[in-house]
Amino acid sequence: MSNAIARRLEAIQTKGAMRSSDVANVLNVRPETVSRWNKGKALPHASTEKQLLELEFVIDKLADIYEPHDARLWLFARQRLLDDQVPAELIQQGRVDEVLASVNQLLDGVHL
């Protein structure tokens, strides 16, 4: 994995135990597209790249709290701090700031 996008994908996989299909679902692309990015055969569109970087940022922060598989489960489960919404779906909708706010609350030790 030599390209920058591949390194980001590797970080997401390592810290968040996310599969290519998980990343594809969050970013609204096909798993084959993620595979092409990983191999350096294609690059994401600018808006998708921004979403990918946001996802990596969230995963990186979650890694301070959770083991990789627990971070993945947190992303795909309803969360009380997000009014029972699913973080991955919020990221998909471009609402990453709400997700980051709840992660920051977790990091600060604020639990409801």
Side-chain angles (χ1 to χ4, degrees):
M1 290 193 188
S2 60
N3 74 60
I5 296 298
R7 287 191 299 274
R8 303 293 183 158
L9 290 168
E10 182 180 26
I12 290 168
Q13 180 181 11
T14 302
K15 293 180 179 182
M18 291 185 70
R19 301 177 293 256
S20 291
S21 59
D22 295 329
V23 174
N25 286 335
V26 173
L27 301 180
N28 275 328
V29 298
R30 296 170 41 122
E32 296 83 3
T33 301
V34 175
S35 178
R36 284 194 300 277
W37 297 342
N38 209 14
K39 293 175 185 173
K41 295 183 177 182
L43 293 172
H45 295 288
S47 61
T48 306
E49 183 178 276
K50 182 180 184 298
Q51 249 185 330
L52 174 68
L53 296 174
E54 296 283 23
L55 175 61
E56 182 196 18
F57 188 71
V58 169
I59 293 285
D60 189 57
K61 287 189 133 208
L62 287 172
D64 291 341
I65 307 167
Y66 297 116
E67 293 297 318
H69 289 286
D70 293 326
R72 182 184 177 277
L73 290 175
W74 187 89
L75 272 174
F76 289 100
R78 291 182 183 273
Q79 299 300 322
R80 292 177 116 184
L81 290 174
L82 290 167
D83 296 324
D84 302 332
Q85 296 181 83
V86 177
E89 291 174 3
L90 293 175
I91 293 169
Q92 185 180 55
Q93 297 165 11
R95 296 167 58 192
V96 71
D97 289 338
E98 294 172 54
V99 175
L100 285 171
S102 69
V103 173
N104 287 333
Q105 283 183 301
L106 292 171
L107 284 166
D108 291 342
V110 178
H111 302 280
L112 297 178

